[in-house]
Amino acid sequence: FGGGTTFVDLDGAAGDANPVFGASAVLLGELLGVEADLGFAPGFFQSGPNSLVLNSGVTTLTGNLVVALPRRLAQYSLRPYFVGGGGLMRVNEEPNSAGVLRVVRTLGAVDVGGGVTGFLNESVGLNWDLRYFRTAGGSSELRGVNFGAEHLSFWRATMAVAFRY
């Protein structure tokens, strides 16, 4: 939600709420950790059944540094954390079957955010997270599919089941 882009967005859907599917893995010590995060948002540039866009999606793959409240302070309550890092963002938009204005770009990306994790028992818990993603680097030349330098940014809110090993 809250997205913005310089890519052609025929439906104006980049700023709308959109489902995201994904997974992440975290190796977390007492205070610091690392995370790998993969997310896929199908239909990112589509506004519904009468969309002008046939197919679209945005995929993010990031590696992040995690800073969490030490476990000894959180005890058995919610454990807040901050996260930030970088990786790749793949943008795919197919407005029509002729391939006119088609976008297929893989760009550098950065993300920053935070959340909380609470465990229901020793191995299963819930996680809530809010992150901001934006492209980094893209081409500044006009390709007919963007207005200005290539740019895509959005916020992602998640709720997930967490497993501890």
Side-chain angles (χ1 to χ4, degrees), residues 17-43:
N18 196 59
V20 177
F21 304 96
S24 64
V26 179
L27 180 59
L28 184 60
E30 182 66 17
L31 180 66
L32 297 175
V34 292
E35 175 200 54
D37 180 86
L38 174 65
F40 174 62

Side-chain angles (χ1 to χ4, degrees), residues 1-143:
F1 62 92
T5 187
T6 58
F7 290 108
V8 173
D9 184 8
L10 296 174
D11 287 348
D16 297 344
N18 196 59
V20 177
F21 304 96
S24 64
V26 179
L27 180 59
L28 184 60
E30 182 66 17
L31 180 66
L32 297 175
V34 292
E35 175 200 54
D37 180 86
L38 174 65
F40 174 62
F44 190 87
F45 293 100
Q46 295 167 257
S47 62
N50 297 323
S51 175
L52 297 172
V53 178
L54 295 178
N55 185 27
S56 68
V58 173
T59 303
T60 57
L61 176 62
T62 58
N64 300 297
L65 177 64
V66 179
V67 179
L69 182 70
R71 182 187 259 182
R72 61 183 160 72
L73 294 178
Q75 296 291 327
Y76 296 99
S77 64
L78 295 176
R79 187 176 184 191
Y81 63 88
F82 294 101
V83 63
L88 299 172
M89 183 182 298
R90 182 164 178 85
V91 180
N92 179 26
E93 180 182 12
E94 189 175 344
N96 53 58
S97 57
V100 177
L101 299 178
R102 184 168 189 228
V103 176
V104 178
R105 298 283 292 139
T106 301
L107 304 165
V110 295
D111 69 317
V112 64
V116 294
T117 303
F119 279 87
L120 305 171
N121 59 37
E122 279 298 311
S123 56
V124 178
L126 296 175
N127 184 77
W128 297 270
D129 189 284
L130 180 65
R131 295 189 196 195
Y132 175 72
F133 289 84
R134 83 174 268 133
T135 55
S139 172
S140 60
E141 70 180 60
L142 294 177
R143 299 173 184 250

